[in-house]
Amino acid sequence: MVAMKSDNFFERVYGIVRQIPEGCVTSYGAIARALGTAGSSRMVGYAMRGAGGVYPPVPAHRVVNRAGLLTGKRAFGSPTMMAQLLANEGVAVVDDKVVDFEQVFWDPQDALGD
DNA sequence: GTGGTGACGTATA
DNA sequence: GTATACGCCACCA
């Protein structure tokens, strides 16, 4: 099967993010590790940068860094869009940071073992 | 084919 | 505990 998806890596990241349940969030490193590319944690975020142009849409707003900071909020067009979406999902966000990050944290490996 | 960059993470000072 | 430096690896020009 002709691998038309050269974004094998990207697609995988999208697949994980799309499995994130509503009201939950995860970290780039966790996703990267779930993919087996823990070393390319940066690539996870890089992939998300293109998440706004792929289909189906990827809830990138549910993906934050290790500190729970909405580092990529700027990728949503508005610096408050990401926080707004999270708040809409039930995730409290203050100062561009996820509140109780560890409580709403979702483990991507959980989807793999589904 | 090479170089530069990056929505991170970890290590060290 | 805070601040700074480096590394990782895949994508883009």
Side-chain angles (χ1 to χ4, degrees), chain A residues 26-81:
Chain A
T26 188
S27 61
Y28 305 98
I31 296 170
R33 195 169 298 175
L35 295 173
T37 54
S40 44
S41 49
R42 305 175 83 166
M43 296 292 79
V44 179
Y46 200 92
M48 310 248 71
R49 183 175 158 279
V54 301
Y55 182 85
V58 180
H61 60 273
R62 291 180 187 160
V63 186
V64 296
N65 70 354
R66 241 337 187 174
L69 279 170
L70 282 53
T71 40
K73 60 179 182 174
R74 73 178 199 86
F76 291 80
S78 292
T80 54
M81 189 77 155

Side-chain angles (χ1 to χ4, degrees), chain A residues 2-12 14:
Chain A
V2 270
M4 48 227 171
K5 304 209 195 126
S6 53
D7 12 338
N8 203 327
F9 181 84
F10 272 42
E11 279 291 308
R12 209 156 290 177
Y14 298 148

